[in-house]
Amino acid sequence: MKIRLANTAGFCMGVRRAVDLALDLQRSRPALPIVTYGPLIHNPQTLELLRSKGIEEVKNIDDITGGTVIIRAHGISPQEKEKLEAKGVKIIDATCPRVNRVQIVIMRAAAKGRFCVIVGDEDHPEVRGLMGYASAGGVAAPDPDAIPDAIPTQGDICVVAQTTQEPERFNRVVEKIRAINPNVHVSDTICDSTRRRQEEVGRMADEVDLVVVVGGKGSGNTQRLLNVAQAQGVAAVHVESQEELTPELFAHVRRVGVTAGASTPNWQIRRVIDKVKHIARSSDTGLRHSLRRVGDLTVMTYLWASAAGAGLTAACLALQGIAVTATPLLVSALFVFSMHILNRILEGSGAVRFNSPEIAQFYDRRRGVFKVLGLTSSVAALGLAWLIGPWSFVLLLGMLVMGRLYSSRLPEARFAGLPWRSLNDVPGSKTPLVALGWGTCASILPIINDPQLWTAAAGVSFLFAASAVFWRTALSDLLDIQGDRIVGRETIPILIGIKKTRTLLLWLLFGMCVLPALAAALGVTTVTGYYVAAVLPTFFCVYQMYTRRHLVDRLLWEGIMDGILIVAGLTSVL
Ligand code: SF4
């Protein structure tokens, strides 16, 4: 069974902004009482998560007694806002800027005395909030077959859409209103994100046998995605969670499409995809399926990342003009394997529970086995490092201890006053530390015993290796940003923002390609610099994939990124 995931699935800009505002506020001021006025977004799992972080929902303004109040992404009416302000509470406005735009359109129309028709569901919180701006009178029109009598036959009328309406329905309602009163001023305020999502599910419905729509049952835009798919005549099912999927649903299905509403978090979509994959695997057979499974396992168990560590070491040795031998490659591979496995186990199912549920489950079931494997590979790496030289042994020992300390925490009872009780808590620490570890192991560890090898080429190869690993890890952080934010892990994208991280990655990639080529041209390194520089631009393709498909299969993604490092190593040696 083939699984196709919609590019547009997942949080829209407005929902992401609202959830980020709430989580960032809670993270920066954990003692502050925070409530949301009404549900922040329409997704029960996300609301449950906010509740677990102490962010409660209050339905009635009269029940708000103090603290900080977050206004939901759908916005509220000006009258409700005034009531909140009169309470003297601190207000954080998480209204989506696109909803704000509709509020302004209605406000201006009302100032000109125009009656306002909002094409949307009367009971939807966005429509209720918008209606508060229609001071010259207004009504909601949900359907072309249910045009309200209140629409005046004379005078000017302003028609807007609830941001998540179907364009086709909106146009039909406008035509009906025009027939009643031709003085219609239409503003198509359907949000682009909604439009793209609906268009994509329409195209997807033509190419699959079943569409799975993931999202809250109370989410209007999710419901509309289901309507669009069904209107195309394809079987479609709306689920809130993976538990609602059964193998019977997929009987005779060869191609399945998965999409999600604007308020569905990535981790919920990943859980649904994992379940679909699980069902597909139980029925799929054949060589392609077996190869795919072996590929997934190789990446999931960090064997592929270990090969990437060895590849990076080969490239660094070749850059320095040192013969590539098996021992330093094995040390790197074992170091990478043991560090990743042990940190995965020590970290427990924290952020990975949200970022990669399949991986979290895989490790939860085999903790003991992987602990033994991780420790054994640490010892084996140390033994091999000793064969390279005593300083290699000391350096590796230091790195392994640092790696072990990274996830270890000081006891809360004695160190409660400290801002960070583990290295893991230091904001943005993970990515540079991983880069430093891999970079040192690939370029410094093999040469540290011989001062004659401490050349400028060693410096260039360290910079190249550390930058490549920094790049790879920071891009993974971008992919994992929702889960990391939920568990309060401050990665680089959370610290400096998505835009700045993207800019940083692009400049770093430019530097990574120029540095080895320039070093080779100046004779600082061997001609390997040219080959490495030729392989690295493929990272740009990975970056492009990220900008278009932020929900691409996590294992495939990691496989490609580490595959580039393996190819860089092979190219250098060959
Ligand atoms: Fe904003 Fe559009 Fe998302 Fe609604 S669907 S919250 S208008 S971005």
Short mmCIF file of all heavy atoms in Angstrom, two decimals, residues 12 14 96 98-99 163-164 191 194, ligand 1:
data_model
loop_
_atom_site.label_atom_id
_atom_site.label_comp_id
_atom_site.label_asym_id
_atom_site.label_seq_id
_atom_site.Cartn_x
_atom_site.Cartn_y
_atom_site.Cartn_z
N CYS A 12 -1.53 25.58 10.50
CA CYS A 12 -1.40 26.75 9.63
C CYS A 12 -0.65 27.83 10.43
O CYS A 12 -0.42 27.67 11.63
CB CYS A 12 -2.77 27.25 9.22
SG CYS A 12 -3.71 27.81 10.64
N GLY A 14 -1.60 30.73 11.59
CA GLY A 14 -2.32 31.32 12.72
C GLY A 14 -2.35 30.40 13.93
O GLY A 14 -2.18 30.84 15.07
N CYS A 96 -5.39 35.22 14.95
CA CYS A 96 -4.62 35.07 13.71
C CYS A 96 -4.65 36.38 12.93
O CYS A 96 -5.72 36.99 12.77
CB CYS A 96 -5.24 33.94 12.88
SG CYS A 96 -4.53 33.87 11.23
N ARG A 98 -4.76 36.88 9.92
CA ARG A 98 -5.69 36.84 8.78
C ARG A 98 -7.13 37.03 9.25
O ARG A 98 -7.97 37.53 8.51
CB ARG A 98 -5.55 35.51 8.03
CG ARG A 98 -4.26 35.52 7.24
CD ARG A 98 -3.94 34.25 6.57
NE ARG A 98 -2.61 34.32 6.00
CZ ARG A 98 -1.86 33.28 5.71
NH1 ARG A 98 -2.29 32.07 5.95
NH2 ARG A 98 -0.67 33.44 5.19
N VAL A 99 -7.42 36.62 10.48
CA VAL A 99 -8.75 36.89 11.04
C VAL A 99 -8.84 38.38 11.36
O VAL A 99 -9.87 39.02 11.13
CB VAL A 99 -9.00 36.02 12.30
CG1 VAL A 99 -10.32 36.37 12.96
CG2 VAL A 99 -8.96 34.53 11.96
N THR A 163 -12.85 32.56 7.44
CA THR A 163 -11.56 32.29 6.76
C THR A 163 -11.40 30.85 6.26
O THR A 163 -10.60 30.61 5.37
CB THR A 163 -10.40 32.62 7.70
OG1 THR A 163 -10.61 31.93 8.93
CG2 THR A 163 -10.24 34.10 7.93
N THR A 164 -12.17 29.93 6.84
CA THR A 164 -11.97 28.53 6.46
C THR A 164 -13.11 28.00 5.57
O THR A 164 -13.30 26.79 5.48
CB THR A 164 -11.84 27.64 7.72
OG1 THR A 164 -12.94 27.93 8.57
CG2 THR A 164 -10.54 27.90 8.45
N CYS A 191 -8.91 32.26 3.76
CA CYS A 191 -7.47 32.25 4.00
C CYS A 191 -6.76 31.37 2.95
O CYS A 191 -7.26 30.31 2.59
CB CYS A 191 -7.27 31.73 5.41
SG CYS A 191 -5.72 31.00 5.72
N THR A 194 -6.19 27.76 3.85
CA THR A 194 -7.38 26.93 3.70
C THR A 194 -7.58 26.55 2.23
O THR A 194 -7.84 25.39 1.90
CB THR A 194 -8.62 27.71 4.18
OG1 THR A 194 -8.39 28.11 5.51
CG2 THR A 194 -9.88 26.89 4.09
FE1 SF4 B 1 -5.37 31.99 10.34
FE2 SF4 B 1 -5.96 30.78 8.06
FE3 SF4 B 1 -5.07 29.41 10.11
FE4 SF4 B 1 -7.51 30.43 10.22
S1 SF4 B 1 -6.78 28.85 8.81
S2 SF4 B 1 -5.99 30.47 11.84
S3 SF4 B 1 -7.17 32.33 9.12
S4 SF4 B 1 -3.95 30.96 8.98
#
